[in-house]
Amino acid sequence: WAEIGHLDKAAAGRSVLVRATAEAVYRGSKTKNVAFLKLRQVLSTVQCVLAGSAQMMLFALSLPKESIVVVEGAVALLDEPLSYTTVQEVEIKVRKLYCISRADPKLPISVEDAGRSAAEFAKAEAKGVPLPRVGQETRLDYRVIDVRTPTGQAIFRVQHQVENKFREYLSARDFIGIHTPKLISGSSEGGAAVFKLEYKNGKSACLAQSPQLHKQMAICGGFRRVFEVGHVFRAEDSNTHRHLCEFVGLDAEMEIMRHYFEVCDIVDGLFIEIFRHLNENCKRELEAINRQYPFEPLKYLERTLRLSYEEGIQMLKEAGTEIEPMADLNTEAEKKLGQLVREKYDTEFFILYRYPLAARPFYTMPCYENPAYSNSFDVFLRGEEIISGAQRIHEPKLLAKRAAEHGIGMSSIKSYIDSFSYGTPPHGGFGVGLERVVMLFCGLHNVRLASLFPRDPQRLSP
Ligand code: 4AD
């Protein structure tokens, strides 16, 4: 079996067997008894030539688009590169053609239409022959077809690389991967955005909004440095471009020796490594995404800029942006700050630290020198939050007091709070939204594009 993406000049003359998707089939325009079949695998396409057998040609011409076929044939050099194939040096001269799975000839959406760029639409409109547009909801309804576009394939290959690098980078620094429960007895982040469900024996349960409580309890359990890649659930009522009801959380938690900036140092090294890796090793993927959704490469510094919350607020005030005192930044303020930082420091990736305590969850450690602030940070990519992190309270009395101040009932978190009574080192950590990182690194306009089967307030299928 040959992979289309591996077919180059060196393969010329070889006999190959290829299983792929029939993207298009058409009759030769110059010679009547020739047909062409364009085959696709992931990001690669190749032209196959069918000549000699009228029966095989007719069979090929009857194949509905997106059918899965097997061709057996000889690889031949191409005289002239074909602009519509991604494997441009060779073609396959077909000897045998089989159909393994015949697609419905009336596909609900066409892969070609789902993969068109804004430039293609504009060009066709200028010519007076507008192209059909497939709306986002229709695309998501037929996601298994939608993700067959080069962009769809590329986005999830980039996502895979981000996840891999996260595991690799942290594992090399003595973090171990853990798995925490997703069925928990109370809300882990506070607030109303929690899915409640019936458990067994009359108990009620929640779907974990994050691994927050249990990743800290792993530190109580003596694991010094841990990470988790897992699903998290938020009963968000926000129908925005960046909120999902289920997303993948990349979480880490670690002992802190002197200062919570040690957590920022890990975030810094990890993300610089992820960006470098994507730029060097995902060129084809990024090009494919760029063709449909044009974006500029991310601007970032080799050592990530760290700004205090107060410095950030000062920049916003000087630019005339009104913000509520001692509160979290809203989406608009985040965007504005992102723009100001890019102009002043030439970076689209930065850490904002020392948030007001009132804007953070109950488990966040107050600043020693001024408890109105906290030992916490958020990280921004192209003007949107992708990470939040902090040092945590490891003193059970203070933790219980803060939980009560947030209106969190002791019964649901008693075992969590008790865990800190048996000897716990100072610690901190961070949580990353995987889909948001991919969306923003690739300059996508909607987080749903970076979720294979997105869940939002309106969507629970496919
Ligand atoms: O800011 P969040 O809620 O922080 C936590 O969950 C903490 N326990 C993390 C920590 O260790 N301190 O979520 C972390 C990240 C956000 O920065 C964002 O990237 C992503 O998760 N996120 C979402 N992504 C998609 N849809 C949503 N509804 C999201 N909510 C948060």
Side-chain angles (χ1 to χ4, degrees):
W1 293 100
E3 302 259 327
I4 293 179
H6 295 167
L7 296 179
D8 57 10
K9 274 184 193 161
R14 255 178 50 202
S15 265
V16 287
L17 200 56
V18 174
R19 181 197 280 181
T21 302
E23 186 168 287
V25 51
Y26 40 93
R27 242 178 234 286
S29 54
K30 292 181 198 143
T31 332
K32 279 254 154 50
N33 43 7
V34 177
F36 297 99
L37 178 62
K38 187 178 167 192
L39 292 189
R40 185 187 74 233
Q41 274 174 348
V42 191
L43 289 174
S44 303
T45 55
V46 68
Q47 169 173 268
C48 299
V49 187
L50 301 122
S53 159
Q55 208 182 351
M56 182 165 69
M57 257 181 57
L58 283 178
F59 177 63
L61 289 164
S62 77
L63 284 173
K65 280 184 182 181
E66 297 301 304
S67 295
I68 305 295
V69 300
V70 168
V71 300
E72 191 197 305
V75 179
L77 282 181
L78 266 176
D79 297 337
E80 268 181 60
L82 297 166
S83 60
Y84 63 84
T85 60
T86 48
V87 174
Q88 297 196 352
E89 294 176 329
V90 294
E91 61 185 5
I92 301 174
K93 297 211 184 287
V94 179
R95 280 193 293 263
K96 285 184 184 159
L97 169 67
Y98 307 88
C99 179
I100 300 297
S101 167
R102 182 173 282 265
D104 184 337
K106 290 198 198 95
L107 290 177
I109 60 171
S110 115
V111 176
E112 228 176 348
D113 290 341
R116 290 198 202 281
S117 66
E120 273 177 89
F121 284 119
K123 207 168 145 192
E125 233 149 79
K127 277 193 190 158
V129 273
L131 291 164
R133 284 181 191 264
V134 196
Q136 179 173 276
E137 292 309 313
T138 312
R139 287 178 53 171
L140 293 178
D141 285 342
Y142 300 102
R143 194 66 165 142
V144 295
I145 306 178
D146 181 47
V147 285
R148 295 179 192 180
T149 60
T151 312
Q153 295 290 305
I155 289 171
F156 293 97
R157 293 169 72 85
V158 168
Q159 187 181 87
H160 168 70
Q161 293 298 329
V162 174
E163 186 181 329
N164 260 0
K165 270 286 149 194
F166 178 83
R167 291 180 201 274
E168 196 185 296
Y169 186 90
L170 295 179
S171 302
R173 283 157 187 81
D174 289 335
F175 284 75
I176 66 154
I178 57 165
H179 294 283
T180 62
K182 303 304 156 207
L183 281 170
I184 58 178
S185 57
S187 126
S188 52
E189 294 295 327
V194 58
F195 286 107
K196 297 206 166 116
L197 54 96
E198 236 174 75
Y199 199 60
K200 295 284 174 192
N201 299 315
K203 289 192 168 79
S204 62
C206 297
L207 286 178
Q209 291 162 299
S210 73
Q212 183 63 40
L213 309 186
H214 291 89
K215 70 176 178 175
Q216 282 188 257
M217 286 159 81
I219 299 294
C220 298
F223 291 101
R224 306 201 72 187
R225 293 182 150 204
V226 295
F227 71 84
E228 177 166 5
V229 176
H231 283 240
V232 297
F233 304 89
R234 304 276 169 109
E236 302 275 6
D237 258 331
S238 351
N239 295 288
T240 74
H241 75 284
R242 63 177 186 168
H243 287 97
L244 294 166
C245 288
E246 179 176 355
F247 63 93
V248 177
L250 307 177
D251 270 83
E253 201 66 24
M254 60 191 262
E255 278 189 23
I256 293 174
M257 297 306 175
R258 284 169 172 276
H259 196 279
Y260 73 101
F261 273 12
E262 289 157 33
V263 182
C264 298
D265 293 341
I266 292 285
V267 168
D268 190 353
L270 167 65
F271 274 81
I272 299 311
E273 175 61 14
I274 289 175
F275 299 152
R276 187 201 56 74
H277 177 76
L278 295 180
N279 285 331
E280 282 176 15
N281 299 294
C282 295
K283 288 198 170 78
R284 279 192 71 202
E285 285 81 0
L286 297 176
E287 267 171 36
I289 298 167
N290 219 323
R291 225 174 293 133
Q292 185 168 3
Y293 304 115
F295 67 94
E296 291 296 319
L298 183 77
K299 282 187 175 178
Y300 64 93
L301 305 172
E302 279 309 311
R303 189 171 184 282
T304 303
L305 173 72
R306 291 178 197 183
L307 278 181
S308 71
Y309 171 86
E310 281 177 324
E311 284 170 292
I313 295 299
Q314 193 54 32
M315 286 173 75
L316 285 167
K317 276 189 183 155
E318 281 167 17
T321 307
E322 285 294 315
I323 34 162
E324 216 182 302
M326 301 299 268
D328 206 357
L329 301 182
N330 61 28
T331 313
E332 234 170 86
E334 283 183 4
K335 271 266 171 237
K336 184 68 187 172
L337 184 60
Q339 180 204 329
L340 296 170
V341 166
R342 193 180 58 231
E343 285 162 9
K344 185 164 175 189
Y345 299 100
D346 202 28
T347 181
E348 294 170 299
F349 182 69
F350 66 95
I351 297 174
L352 195 68
Y353 65 91
R354 226 170 87 106
Y355 270 71
L357 186 65
R360 307 302 282 197
F362 75 96
Y363 50 75
T364 310
M365 181 67 97
C367 272
Y368 306 114
E369 58 291 2
N370 182 355
Y373 289 89
S374 62
N375 287 354
S376 67
F377 62 92
D378 273 1
V379 183
F380 294 89
L381 186 57
R382 297 197 206 264
E384 295 192 50
E385 180 206 317
I386 56 158
I387 302 173
S388 79
Q391 180 178 354
R392 329 296 186 181
I393 299 170
H394 60 279
E395 205 283 301
K397 278 202 188 104
L398 178 58
L399 193 55
K401 180 171 165 276
R402 291 289 299 144
E405 282 166 7
H406 277 251
I408 297 169
M410 194 60 183
S411 60
S412 66
I413 53 165
K414 185 174 183 309
S415 56
Y416 164 71
I417 295 193
D418 284 351
S419 307
F420 297 94
S421 308
Y422 316 128
T424 306
H427 62 283
F430 62 95
V432 187
L434 177 61
E435 294 84 352
R436 280 211 195 159
V437 172
V438 174
M439 164 179 86
L440 293 161
F441 183 83
C442 298
L444 301 172
H445 57 279
N446 196 308
V447 74
R448 290 161 185 77
L449 292 172
S451 173
L452 193 50
F453 296 106
R455 295 289 180 256
D456 65 26
Q458 319 303 334
R459 182 172 289 280
L460 192 56
S461 86

